[in-house]
Amino acid sequence: MRKKMAESSSQQPREERRSSTEESVHFAPEPSGLLSEDQFLCSFCLNVFTDPVSTPCGHNFCMKCIKTCWGDSEQCHCPFCKEKFVKRPELKVNTAFREVVDHFKKKCDLDKPEVLCDACIGVKKKALKSCVDCRLTLCKSHLESHNNMLKLKEHKLISPLKNLEDYICQKHRRPLELFCRDDQMFACMICTMTDHKKHNIVPVEEGIEEMKSQLKKTQTEVQQMIQDRLKKIKDIKHLVELRKRNTKKAKADIIIVFTALMCSIERSQAELLKVMEEKQKAAEMQAEDLIEELEQEITELKWRDTELEQLSHTEDHLHLLQIYPSLCRPPHTKNWTDMSIDPIIDLSVDIVRNVLSQLQKSLNEMIIESELKRIQQYAVDVTLDADTAQIYLILSDGGKQVTHGDTKQNLPDNPKRFDRCSCVLGKEGFSSGRFYYEVQVRGKTDWDLGVARKSINRKGKNVTLTPQNGFWTVVLRNGNEYLACAGPLVLLSLRKRPQKVGVFVDYEEGLVSFYDVESRSHIYSFTSQYFTEKLYPYFSPCNNDGGKNSAPLIISPVSKTK
């Protein structure tokens, strides 16, 4: 078989000859790392293309080489695929491909160290190929014998390598033309009969392709990791920018709040100082008497302290023994434990406490008012999704109101619809940022409000409202029991009965807050939550309880706090 290939190869261009001898020996990546180098080599001169031209059949040659091949003949054929051309093609340099070739040449000059011929004597020429069988790296002139001599045509040629010995089995001195999958290493034919006997052996080309495939897979994973991290950087920068804007707005709100607070403090200050001055005079007189008495006792105690100090160093032990019992007894002094100045000072403390309490109340109201003003900027237009409404719920034409009726409606079942619980969701879901909406609850004895994640259970009667189940809600029961469904329930103590409830969500912060809009007070907040999917506004008017709870839940337009 090899003999026939060798005989026929003398009539074929070098590209075809190389394909019959070289394709099976690319058993290791070339040092330059250019895996498709042969695509840039002319099949005649075996050099990188110079002025490349393309034949009508799509094969490429150097302009000079193809003209030499065709000579003056009018009937021509492709030297590679033998396709005949009735008319001699008019050849023009493929400028686009030439630019690619030029780029390749520059890259080779930068990336590839020059490999010199092993056979040259004196000044060594640049090597063109390495012969695995001869174990020599040869220049163009010394490679002629491999193109002309029949036996040498069967040798395996690869791109020139400085370290050709690395591709020879050091143990058996045979080419490393096989790959052991078990040990992940190259092997020669003798290795497969000894050290790698019964191992999973494949041709080296197949092993290299497998490694390249795995490297490509790993590269894809690394690229995905890079993209994930670039996205994370983008997200962090976005959050920093959001915080920057919010900080700027919060600073302005703080100035407003504390300006109002200072006015309130100044008013209270004048009244408090006047009372304090009057009480202070009386307190000072009482204090003077107490101080005088205390100073007298201090004088006596200092005398006792001096006497004790002297006796602690005395050498007169007899005298110490005689006086010891009297000095060890505590001196006779007044019991100051329960002694205090006139209660009128305590009265002034009460005044301070009352003032501080009022200031705290005012401050809280101003903070909540400022907070409401800020979050109302994130108001969204919420519309009820009829496809999610339980069959007893009646929605208004505009999708802004929902009530519970006594009659089951003939509605198609679908995966989105609640089948047992009287619930409905908003149409739009949110997977980032902030959003806020307000709902009128006037006249109702029972209701549920909040947000729910997309994957909540919508079928069956036992839908438990907890964050673990994907619900962040506040509810009213029995007309006066306000509860946060935090799992367990949290009983809420509200000063007033809310008529309009505001719901605010900060997706990235993991925050869901509820407000009494009219009294400008905070109801409850779920904090430090972790959201991973879309959140939808959640509503339940609850059962109408024979008409006692027939008032609708109404999504109201947001009127920003002034």
Side-chain angles (χ1 to χ4, degrees), residues 25-31 35 158 161 167 176 186 204 208:
V25 298
H26 285 181
F27 50 80
E30 298 176 13
L35 304 180
I158 62 174
L161 298 172
Y167 299 93
L176 296 168
F186 298 124
V204 71
I208 288 175

Side-chain angles (χ1 to χ4, degrees), residues 535-561:
L535 299 179
Y536 290 83
Y538 169 86
F539 310 83
S540 175
C542 299
N543 295 337
N544 63 20
D545 193 18
K548 295 179 182 178
N549 189 38
S550 59
L553 288 177
I554 303 174
I555 301 172
S556 306
V558 176
S559 300
K560 294 183 179 180
T561 304

Side-chain angles (χ1 to χ4, degrees), residues 219-235:
Q219 182 186 16
T220 302
E221 294 173 354
V222 170
Q223 290 174 346
Q224 184 59 49
M225 291 171 68
I226 292 171
Q227 292 302 315
D228 292 343
R229 281 149 182 78
L230 288 174
K231 182 179 182 301
K232 180 58 70 175
I233 289 173
K234 184 178 179 181
D235 292 343

